[in-house]
Amino acid sequence: LVATGALSQGDIGRTAAYWWTGDAIGVLIMFPLAASLLFDRKTPPPRRPAQLLPLLCASVVTAIVFLFVDATKQGAHAFQYLIFPFVAWGAITMSTAQVASMNLVVAALAIFGTALGHGPYAATASPGDIWLLQAFVSAVAATSLLLKGAIEDRRRSEHRRQEFERRFR
């Protein structure tokens, strides 16, 4: 890019940082989804629409925040926190594949809205806003995946405890 004149010598570091951060977030979003779809054969698909209610709610709230919040208003960033209760609800009630799908939808809506000039990170379209958007997407994905992992670990431990008690009664 420098050789063609599309990028100045001084912008190499920042451009590489954006690129690699974006790639890392892509891995954080796409790997759990692909892994859960490929390796989690035990989880049946949702049978009732209510099972996907956290995904729907998180998607609607993300769309509202990133498509209708005026970024120039004082406190616009506070609206992004409205998404986290739905992400936590999804981690508690949905399968790993559904949680990973929710992360993908939330990330796509946040990026799409920001690219259109809406939402909390579109006020200046500065490099700082891009970093904040990447941090938000990472925080949503990490929160939901860590919470889901902790819940699954707790379920496995409870199952092992029950098996142990059953065997030694």
Side-chain angles (χ1 to χ4, degrees):
L1 293 173
V2 172
T4 63
L7 187 67
S8 72
Q9 193 82 20
D11 289 334
I12 292 173
R14 184 175 50 229
T15 302
Y18 287 143
W19 186 323
W20 288 107
T21 304
D23 286 350
I25 292 169
V27 168
L28 182 63
I29 299 293
M30 295 307 295
F31 179 77
L33 179 60
S36 64
L37 291 173
L38 289 172
F39 302 116
D40 189 9
R41 302 281 185 215
K42 295 179 284 186
T43 305
R47 297 192 193 328
R48 299 182 325 265
Q51 288 177 293
L52 294 178
L53 198 54
L55 170 66
L56 177 65
C57 291
S59 300
V60 168
V61 172
T62 302
I64 290 169
V65 169
F66 283 91
L67 294 174
F68 299 107
V69 169
D70 183 1
T72 62
K73 298 288 186 196
Q74 181 73 19
H77 284 78
F79 287 104
Q80 71 188 356
Y81 297 107
L82 296 173
I83 296 161
F84 283 92
F86 300 106
V87 168
W89 178 27
I92 293 167
T93 61
M94 296 189 316
S95 71
T96 304
Q98 292 165 345
V99 170
S101 297
M102 178 176 56
N103 290 338
L104 179 63
V105 170
V106 167
L109 287 168
I111 293 166
F112 179 72
T114 302
L116 291 177
H118 302 290
Y121 304 112
T124 63
S126 69
D129 284 342
I130 293 170
W131 284 106
L132 288 172
L133 174 62
Q134 291 176 334
F136 167 77
V137 169
S138 297
V140 167
T143 298
S144 65
L145 293 171
L146 289 171
L147 184 56
K148 184 65 184 175
I151 290 166
E152 289 300 317
D153 187 50
R154 174 76 179 189
R155 284 184 185 149
R156 282 190 297 273
S157 294
E158 182 64 20
H159 179 72
R160 283 192 303 266
R161 185 190 62 78
Q162 289 173 352
E163 282 295 313
F164 181 81
E165 287 178 355
R166 187 179 56 78
R167 286 183 185 172
F168 294 103
R169 278 191 186 181

